[in-house]
């Protein structure tokens, strides 16, 4: 296991992690057997790529905000917070992933914990997460953060509610 140089934290996308973002996402895509072609455009204009991802944007028809989980110049993963649910509640409030080289080190658990604080600050008292039934790692992350099962959605994903912490 690699110890990050500083405690990882959610932050806004930044060009400071260009190399580790591109390498991490490429490793993750290759590990999953997914297409990496989108990374070519990102590598050519990383500044523009980042600028398109900063701030509150309309995604899935609702205001959403993207965060990267970083430690110094190291990119470990990404997380999105939907400020409100879509009409079908698909995807829930929070979506996250840790890139392959950094998986199984507790980063997703911390990312979700930090995201729940951000949700609370947005006035979201209970956050909905949806998870593919076969995603054992994400099921563990949600349970470690107090997730309570609430059946399945129309897309066959498991639904979990997590109370957000009180913000003082």
């Amino acid at each position: 296991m690699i110890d990050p140089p500083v405690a990882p934290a959610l932050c806004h996308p930044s060009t400071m992690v260009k190399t580790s973002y591109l390498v991490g996402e490429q490793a993750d895509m290759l590990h999953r057997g997914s297409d990496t072609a989108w990374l070519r455009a990102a590598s050519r204009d990383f500044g523009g790529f980042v600028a398109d991802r900063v701030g509150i944007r309309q995604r899935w028809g609702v205001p959403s905000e993207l965060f990267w989980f970083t430690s110094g110049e190291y990119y470990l993963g990404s997380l999105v917070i939907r400020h409100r649910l879509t009409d079908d509640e698909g995807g829930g409030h929070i979506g996250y992933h840790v890139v392959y080289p950094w998986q199984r080190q507790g980063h997703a658990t911390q990312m979700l914990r930090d995201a729940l604080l951000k949700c609370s600050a947005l006035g979201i008292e209970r956050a909905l997460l949806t998870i593919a039934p076969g995603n054992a790692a994400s099921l563990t992350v949600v349970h470690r953060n107090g997730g309570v099962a609430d059946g399945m959605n129309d897309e066959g994903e498991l639904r979990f509610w997590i109370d957000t912490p009180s913000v003082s």
Side-chain angles (χ1 to χ4, degrees):
M1 179 189 312
I2 298 169
D3 288 328
V6 295
L10 291 176
C11 64
H12 293 104
S14 165
T15 58
M16 289 177 32
V17 296
K18 177 182 178 177
T19 300
S20 64
Y21 177 90
L22 295 170
V23 170
E25 287 291 344
Q26 179 174 296
D28 195 63
M29 295 278 109
L30 292 172
H31 176 71
R32 295 175 194 220
S34 299
D35 183 26
T36 61
W38 65 273
L39 288 166
R40 183 168 287 120
S43 69
R44 288 186 182 136
D45 180 14
F46 198 71
F49 178 81
V50 166
D52 287 343
R53 283 153 180 76
V54 174
I56 299 169
R57 306 271 193 214
Q58 286 292 115
R59 296 178 183 97
W60 308 282
V62 296
S64 303
E65 194 166 5
L66 176 68
F67 297 92
W68 287 354
F69 196 61
T70 65
S71 170
E73 74 270 16
Y74 297 101
Y75 167 83
L76 286 65
S78 62
L79 180 138
V80 66
I81 296 176
R82 293 174 189 91
H83 291 203
R84 67 174 197 274
L85 294 172
T86 59
D87 290 340
D88 67 357
E89 296 185 346
H93 286 103
I94 303 168
Y96 56 87
H97 87 283
V98 175
V99 293
Y100 178 66
W102 293 99
Q103 292 176 359
R104 308 252 187 249
Q105 298 176 42
H107 298 303
T109 299
Q110 184 63 49
M111 288 170 70
L112 180 53
R113 188 176 302 123
D114 294 350
L116 292 168
L117 288 169
K118 290 186 178 297
C119 285
S120 183
L122 291 169
I124 299 168
E125 295 177 1
R126 291 181 43 196
L128 175 65
L129 284 88
T130 62
I131 302 171
N135 189 340
S138 247
L139 290 170
T140 299
V141 168
V142 167
H143 287 299
R144 284 183 179 158
N145 278 283
V148 176
D150 183 33
M152 275 193 170
N153 67 13
D154 293 339
E155 297 160 4
E157 294 176 320
L158 299 169
R159 293 166 44 101
F160 291 87
W161 290 98
I162 303 176
D163 291 334
T164 62
S166 298
V167 177
S168 316

